[in-house]
Amino acid sequence: MINNKVTVNSITSGFNYNEDICCILLELSEYEKNTNRNLFKYEAYKRAAAVLASQPKKITSGKEALKLKGIGAKIAKKIDEISQTGKLEKLENIHKDDRSQAINLLASVSGVGPAKAQLLVDENITSIEQLRQNIDKLNHHQQIGLKYYDDFQKKIPRMEIEQIEAIVKKHILDFDKEFVITVCGSYRRGKAESGDIDFLITHPSFKKKRKKSSDSSNLLKKIVHILEDAQLITDTLSLGDTKFMGACRLSPDSVARRLDIRLLPQGQYYCGVLYFTGSDMFNKAMRAHALEHGHTINEYCVRPIGSLGVVGEAVPISSEEEIFEYIQYPYKTPEERNY
Ligand code: 8DG
Ligand code: CA
Ligand code: CA
């Protein structure tokens, strides 16, 4: 979950030589998002952390960091302070700031964004306990997020996702063997643990932008019903024609897990699989590369950009590899996309 969790993705080879600096920068990024609602700074800190995480050695000064793409003078200065003192005074002060800590805490409830968290804190609701006494102030998604607060904080072991994947595939393919089902996100990147489970599903009969009430607009609802009947899905946070967000559990006494399901038309499936495999940072790097090579990519399609800057028609895509080929980016396996 991109959410509020401070995680550090090291490079594929496994080791992040700059984990201490990355942790501090990622905490600053959360602070900018939640307390200041400055998405520009939030992105800048995240970008800097990702660049540092991908370095093959420890960065020991701001001067050295400044040479890296995505690190400017202000962040370099902070890196100097961290390298010399092992900490950052700005972050120490944030830790002492009760309002900021309370906003971070409330924004870690699924469905509670920074703006809602600030509203709640302004009403003197500053703990999960107090939030439980004020559930009337929460919408349906936020109430479920609170109900499963402790469960949703827990990481999901890879083996459990494998079991959930097998159950979903069995029931959905028994219903119709033409479905194609991929678990994306950090699981597909090979991580040992994940924050949530991201299913991407396609079916030949599912076309984009069908009129409401057509059969295909009920397809995702059908999938959700099947998984409810299988006693896997326990709660729905939101359900549309193409996106389900909810909770699932392996058995009545297992931990509840956050589950996302997206249903895509076949033509968009591989762009979707690429996008929802991530990582977020990898997507950014790949999109930037695509632009340099005359293409624009998003979660739906790849389009060429003409010499006058006019964006052309989406090109047909039938595998992830093809997307890499189009933009002349050396293919990377999902496990190599962890930055
Ligand atoms: P996690 O759940 O184990 O914490 O990690 P994740 O699987 O990488 O993150 P996620 O939040 O479940 O998002 C899945 C992928 O969606 C992510 O790897 C890349 C893509 N994605 C972006 N930008 C964003 C974004 O702003 N929000 C979300 N939710 N996903 C995004 O590239
Ligand atoms: Ca997700
Ligand atoms: Ca995920």
Side-chain angles (χ1 to χ4, degrees):
M1 268 173 273
I2 283 181
N3 216 327
N4 287 290
K5 302 217 173 69
V6 175
T7 53
V8 181
N9 284 332
S10 52
I11 52 172
T12 322
S13 54
F15 198 74
N16 179 358
Y17 293 91
N18 297 292
E19 190 161 3
D20 49 347
I21 303 176
C22 287
C23 279
I24 292 178
L25 295 181
L26 287 172
E27 270 202 67
L28 290 176
S29 81
E30 289 300 300
Y31 169 73
E32 291 299 342
K33 182 176 73 176
N34 292 337
T35 304
N36 293 341
R37 284 200 265 154
N38 185 333
L39 291 182
F40 182 76
K41 287 191 179 178
Y42 160 70
E43 290 289 346
Y45 282 125
K46 272 208 317 184
R47 204 164 41 239
V51 169
L52 287 166
S54 70
Q55 295 308 303
K57 65 183 179 72
K58 189 162 177 62
I59 300 297
T60 54
S61 73
K63 198 174 155 208
E64 210 184 335
L66 212 43
K67 293 184 196 139
L68 305 172
K69 208 173 154 190
I71 297 190
K74 283 185 189 155
I75 293 183
K77 197 158 167 261
K78 293 187 173 69
I79 293 175
D80 260 334
E81 187 186 330
I82 301 164
S83 301
Q84 285 158 19
T85 67
K87 54 185 188 177
L88 188 72
E89 201 180 336
K90 182 182 166 81
L91 187 61
E92 305 283 306
N93 290 335
I94 293 169
H95 285 165
K96 285 182 218 148
D97 176 22
D98 292 342
R99 176 177 159 81
S100 175
Q101 293 309 303
I103 291 169
N104 272 347
L105 176 71
L106 299 186
S108 70
V109 175
S110 181
V112 177
K116 177 71 184 184
Q118 293 194 6
L119 275 178
L120 291 164
V121 171
D122 290 340
E123 292 183 54
N124 283 323
I125 298 167
T126 58
S127 69
I128 298 298
E129 203 42 53
Q130 284 168 329
L131 199 54
R132 290 198 204 280
Q133 286 152 16
N134 286 277
I135 49 165
D136 55 306
K137 295 192 187 329
L138 302 180
N139 66 25
H140 174 71
H141 181 160
Q142 294 159 346
Q143 288 186 12
I144 305 289
L146 184 62
K147 172 174 150 194
Y148 293 126
Y149 181 74
D150 293 326
D151 279 4
F152 287 174
Q153 290 297 305
K154 295 179 184 138
K155 287 278 189 180
I156 316 170
R158 193 167 181 82
M159 223 201 327
E160 187 174 329
I161 302 187
E162 281 166 11
Q163 289 172 282
I164 291 170
E165 179 181 19
I167 294 170
V168 170
K169 284 188 169 163
K170 185 189 175 319
H171 285 92
I172 302 303
L173 296 176
D174 273 356
F175 165 62
D176 183 335
K177 63 177 177 5
E178 284 196 292
F179 277 107
V180 177
I181 302 165
T182 313
V183 183
C184 297
S186 49
Y187 171 79
R188 187 157 181 262
R189 300 198 309 273
K191 292 276 173 181
E193 297 180 319
S194 295
D196 66 357
I197 312 168
D198 303 292
F199 274 94
L200 253 65
I201 300 183
T202 188
H203 188 279
S205 77
F206 186 71
K207 303 276 186 273
K208 66 177 172 185
K209 291 205 181 103
R210 275 279 183 88
K211 284 195 197 80
K212 287 253 167 195
S213 85
S214 74
D215 277 356
S216 77
S217 77
N218 287 321
L219 208 53
L220 183 57
K221 288 174 182 91
K222 180 74 198 168
I223 291 171
V224 171
H225 283 145
I226 291 171
L227 298 176
E228 281 170 345
D229 283 348
Q231 300 196 327
L232 186 75
I233 287 178
T234 56
D235 298 80
T236 296
L237 300 170
S238 63
L239 176 57
D241 288 345
T242 60
K243 185 176 172 192
F244 163 84
M245 293 173 75
C248 71
R249 56 174 26 144
L250 271 175
S251 66
D253 52 358
S254 320
V255 179
R257 306 301 194 181
R258 271 280 295 112
L259 172 70
D260 288 337
I261 304 175
R262 288 179 178 81
L263 180 64
L264 305 176
Q266 271 180 335
Q268 295 177 355
Y269 192 61
Y270 296 96
C271 284
V273 165
L274 178 74
Y275 179 84
F276 289 105
T277 296
S279 69
D280 190 20
M281 286 299 147
F282 171 79
N283 288 348
K284 285 196 172 73
M286 189 153 167
R287 246 174 286 156
H289 179 96
L291 284 176
E292 286 166 15
H293 288 78
H295 285 82
T296 163
I297 54 175
N298 59 26
E299 63 184 279
Y300 310 108
C301 62
V302 179
R303 287 172 299 171
I305 306 173
S307 52
L308 297 171
V310 180
V311 178
E313 286 286 305
V315 296
I317 296 287
S318 53
S319 71
E320 258 190 331
E321 283 85 347
E322 273 179 30
I323 306 169
F324 286 83
E325 274 169 31
Y326 260 110
I327 67 161
Q328 296 160 54
Y329 198 58
Y331 180 73
K332 292 206 171 6
T333 63
E335 292 81 3
E336 289 170 328
R337 302 179 201 163
N338 277 306
Y339 55 88

